[in-house]
């Protein structure tokens, strides 16, 4: 794993994405070279590569191709095990690459008689990408597995399943409980087994951990880290139930420089304004559909908790029957909730019900990316039952968020705890890069209709 602007990214994925970028960029240059029949291929490529507009177009094509593959979920290798789902995602990626390539071709390419040649070239690039990815995954995984020894917490065995060990090139050598550590010879074990990293998962280490031997392992080249750090890097979330407050206090992160907040606010406002203008037709269509299906208002307003626990009113398209909670205390939305209308089910699945929150972003009450804004009555309950829950309110809530794209819709205390693990990861590692990653994954989630209720 490598840290890019506070966010941990798999080296394998970066390695494959870089190869994808070179293939897609080279494809566009090849299109122009083959289309220029007046020169030899080598001279044509040289002259075209030296043309600023064509070179820029090639780089944009490569970047948009990476975006297409990312949105389609083709950098998540867990989808490769399901043949049907993989074919659907691949088809979506090909369509997007075709669309982007055609647009770039129209905007940047000089006219020539072989104007459809780039379509054939896209097919060729898809074949090359498939060959490259197969070879890259096989070679990358061979001989690069990190063998890890875990010390001191049986809780690890249960939640290790949440980390994709194969994708992260991790092999578990052994998991030792605190009871086993009392009679365990660390030096002898290391001498007989290959260990690249030792992960210490003990909240109380006094008198229970062989510090001199652990220090010797560190000085001998074996990596040593705490469980909280290991889990954060490989799961992209924070294990709330295993960490001490000191992990959050003394660890890196939780920095919110004024420059970052200013850039984030400017980008939020610009994006909200652009998206609002582009989605005006959708606003009209959804408003008519909501009004025709059931009587009542088109929009729905509800009090939520914002940054520093400041209350504000969120705006949404109404997706439930009117007075859904009349006479009842507030309840979590559940799967197959009878209060949700047919139109409501559709706009929730596609996230169209949240479009009016663009107004909250323009008002400065929300951001594009951040923790989901929750209702005051639920916040009070969750703060009493879940450690560190209040820390999610040190940033603005978001239209989308790291927890919202990584975990299904929360409908219980347990769900809220799981989502908080992702929220704290975002708050701890907040950056423009992580916001971009979140927005791209949001497009993927909306496209494949995952996670809403």
């Amino acid at each position: 794993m490598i840290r890019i602007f506070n966010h941990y990214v798999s080296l394998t994925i970066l390695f494959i994405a870089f190869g994808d970028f070179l293939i897609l960029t080279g494809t566009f240059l090849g299109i122009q070279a083959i289309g220029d029949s007046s020169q030899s291929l080598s001279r044509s490529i040289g002259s075209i590569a030296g043309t600023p507009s064509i070179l820029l177009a090639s780089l944009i094509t490569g970047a948009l191709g990476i975006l297409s593959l990312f949105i389609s979920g083709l950098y998540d290798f867990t989808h490769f095990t399901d043949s049907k789902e993989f074919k659907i995602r691949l088809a979506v990626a090909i369509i997007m690459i075709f669309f982007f390539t055609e647009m770039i071709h129209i905007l940047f390419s000089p006219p020539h008689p072989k104007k459809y040649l780039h379509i054939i070239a896209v097919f060729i690039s898809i074949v090359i990408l498939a060959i490259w990815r197969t070879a890259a995954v096989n070679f990358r995984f061979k001989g690069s597995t990190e063998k890890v020894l875990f010390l001191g917490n049986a809780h690890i065995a249960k939640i290790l399943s949440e980390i994709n060990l194969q994708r992260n090139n991790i092999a578990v050598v052994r998991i030792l409980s605190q009871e086993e550590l009392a009679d365990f010879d660390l030096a002898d074990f290391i001498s007989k087994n290959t260990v690249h990293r030792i992960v210490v998962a003990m909240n109380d280490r006094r008198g229970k951990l062989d510090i001199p031997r652990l220090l010797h392992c560190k000085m001998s080249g074996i990596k040593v880290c705490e469980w909280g750090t290991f889990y954060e890097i490989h799961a992209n979330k924070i294990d709330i139930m295993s960490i001490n407050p000191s992990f959050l206090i003394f660890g890196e992160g939780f920095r919110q420089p004024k420059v970052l907040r200013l850039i984030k606010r400017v980008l939020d406002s610009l994006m909200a304004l652009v998206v609002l203008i582009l989605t005006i037709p959708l606003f009209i269509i959804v408003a008519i559909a909501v009004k025709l299906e059931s009587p009542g208002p088109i929009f729905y307003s509800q009090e939520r908790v914002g940054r520093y626990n400041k209350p504000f009113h969120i705006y949404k398209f109404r997706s439930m029957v009117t007075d859904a909670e009349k006479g009842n205390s507030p309840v979590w939305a559940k799967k197959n909730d009878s209060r949700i209308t047919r139109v409501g089910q559709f706009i929730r699945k596609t996230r169209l019900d949240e479009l009016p929150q663009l107004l909250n972003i323009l008002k400065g009450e929300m951001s594009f990316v951040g923790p989901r804004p929750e209702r005051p009555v639920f916040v009070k309950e969750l703060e009493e039952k879940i450690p560190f829950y209040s820390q999610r309110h040190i940033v603005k809530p978001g239209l989308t968020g790291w927890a919202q794209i990584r975990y299904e819709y929360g409908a219980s205390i347990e769900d809220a705890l799981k989502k908080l693990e992702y929220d704290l990861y975002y708050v701890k590692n907040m950056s423009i890069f992580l916001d971009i990653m979140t927005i791209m994954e949001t497009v993927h989630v909306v496209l494949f209709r995952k996670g809403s209720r």
Side-chain angles (χ1 to χ4, degrees), residues 118-184:
H118 70 285
I119 297 178
I120 299 174
V122 171
F123 274 116
I124 295 172
S125 70
I126 296 298
V127 174
I128 298 173
L129 281 173
I131 296 171
W132 151 247
R133 280 167 154 259
T134 302
V137 170
N138 289 335
F139 281 111
R140 178 63 187 164
F141 284 140
K142 278 186 179 180
S144 60
T145 301
E146 183 179 58
K147 297 183 177 180
V148 183
L149 170 65
F150 295 91
L151 305 181
N153 196 332
H155 172 63
I156 292 174
K158 180 180 178 181
I159 60 177
L160 264 180
S161 60
E162 300 176 13
I163 299 175
N164 190 320
L165 298 176
Q166 183 181 6
R167 185 182 68 183
N168 290 302
N169 298 351
I170 296 169
V172 178
V173 178
R174 189 170 174 180
I175 301 175
L176 290 165
S177 66
Q178 292 191 25
E179 292 75 19
E180 290 175 307
L181 275 173
D183 302 312
F184 183 72

Side-chain angles (χ1 to χ4, degrees), residues 160 186 190 242 314 355 360:
L160 264 180
L186 183 60
I190 295 292
S242 296
I314 198 172
L355 280 177
N360 291 112

Side-chain angles (χ1 to χ4, degrees), residues 275-290 299 317 346-347 350-352 355-356:
V275 174
L276 189 61
I277 293 172
L278 293 176
T279 56
I280 286 176
L282 275 176
F283 264 84
I284 297 172
I285 294 171
V286 174
I288 293 173
V290 170
F299 297 101
F317 280 115
F346 176 78
I347 62 177
T350 55
R351 304 307 205 272
L352 291 175
L355 280 177

